[in-house]
Amino acid sequence: MGYALYQAQMGSKSPSAKPLAGFGGAGVLEIVEDFQTNTYRAVYTVKFAERVYVLHAFQKKSKKGIATPKADVDLIKKRLGLAEQDYKTRSTPQGRDK
């Protein structure tokens, strides 16, 4: 997962990164990795120039289906909104990164 996020930071996309369903396109991506007998996911967005925001990382617990649980989707949506606010703040002249 770390290398896939590094690739996103460098402006590339890992083959393991796929658009997360329900977010209208390729602005919100999901990395799914298996380790031992568990599955882990990391969700990030590249919707904002020169920024990668990791919105959520979690262990998939459900053994049924591949859908992301509603509680996790709600949290991702909330954090996406916070990322948008952060990006706007940092992009203004008084909040610009130095």
Side-chain angles (χ1 to χ4, degrees):
M1 278 189 191
Y3 185 66
L5 291 170
Y6 170 76
Q7 288 176 299
Q9 289 175 325
M10 296 295 108
S12 186
K13 181 177 158 280
S14 169
S16 65
K18 309 284 185 229
L20 183 61
F23 286 86
V28 177
L29 298 131
E30 176 181 49
I31 306 162
V32 178
E33 294 289 339
D34 292 323
F35 179 72
Q36 295 178 349
T37 60
N38 298 309
T39 299
Y40 299 89
R41 296 178 176 192
V43 178
Y44 68 97
T45 185
V46 292
K47 291 175 71 169
F48 311 108
E50 300 179 15
R51 301 250 192 291
V52 174
Y53 287 90
V54 176
L55 304 173
H56 193 32
F58 59 102
Q59 179 182 352
K60 184 176 181 318
K61 302 264 183 174
S62 174
K63 301 297 180 192
K64 300 179 218 167
I66 59 171
T68 304
K70 183 181 179 332
D72 290 308
V73 171
D74 291 345
L75 182 59
I76 292 164
K77 287 179 181 177
K78 178 182 175 184
R79 289 180 176 169
L80 182 59
L82 292 171
E84 186 171 355
Q85 289 176 349
D86 181 73
Y87 178 76
K88 286 178 182 176
T89 299
R90 291 174 185 267
S91 298
T92 61
Q94 62 271 36
R96 187 165 290 144
D97 288 337
K98 303 207 185 282

